[in-house]
Amino acid sequence: QVQLVESGGGLVQAGGSLRLSCAASRRTFSMYVMGWFRQAPGKEREFVAAINWSGGSTYYADSVKGRFTISRDNAKNMVFLQMNSLKAEDTARYYCAAKFSSTGYYSRRDEYDYWGQGTQVTVSS
């Protein structure tokens, strides 16, 4: 069992930045691919970014490529999402997810084993 707790959401103006954090409870954190998803009101949860065990491979949705950066600190059991040049359409609840696999590319919700409760990001235009 892995518990995930997100933090760092808030209200920001368009063009601004936020850094989301996700703390994982599992000591074998490095055995998990980590992902970020988001869900806006009335929409399905969508993939944002993922990172492999070492942080050497990252993957992004086209909508955030070049603006968002995913990273991880295995020593602290943490994964981060740096969000720059935020747009109103980035407004959503952001979820951290864990997939028991050290490698691979996973962008579907049903591929992930554990989820956090989410943190709200609101971008005002």
Side-chain angles (χ1 to χ4, degrees), residues 7 29-31 34-36 47 63 73 80 82 92 98 104 108 112 120 122:
S7 61
F29 177 69
S30 63
M31 297 175 68
M34 300 300 297
W36 285 97
F47 171 76
S63 59
D73 184 339
F80 307 98
Q82 177 66 43
R108 297 202 325 259
Y112 284 80
Q120 179 67 35
T122 303

Side-chain angles (χ1 to χ4, degrees), residues 38 46-49 59-68 87 90 105 107:
R38 66 186 182 186
E46 64 176 6
F47 171 76
V48 175
Y59 313 93
Y60 298 93
D62 287 342
S63 59
V64 306
K65 205 170 291 184
R67 300 187 298 121
F68 290 10
K87 305 175 182 180
D90 294 319
Y105 168 50
S107 63

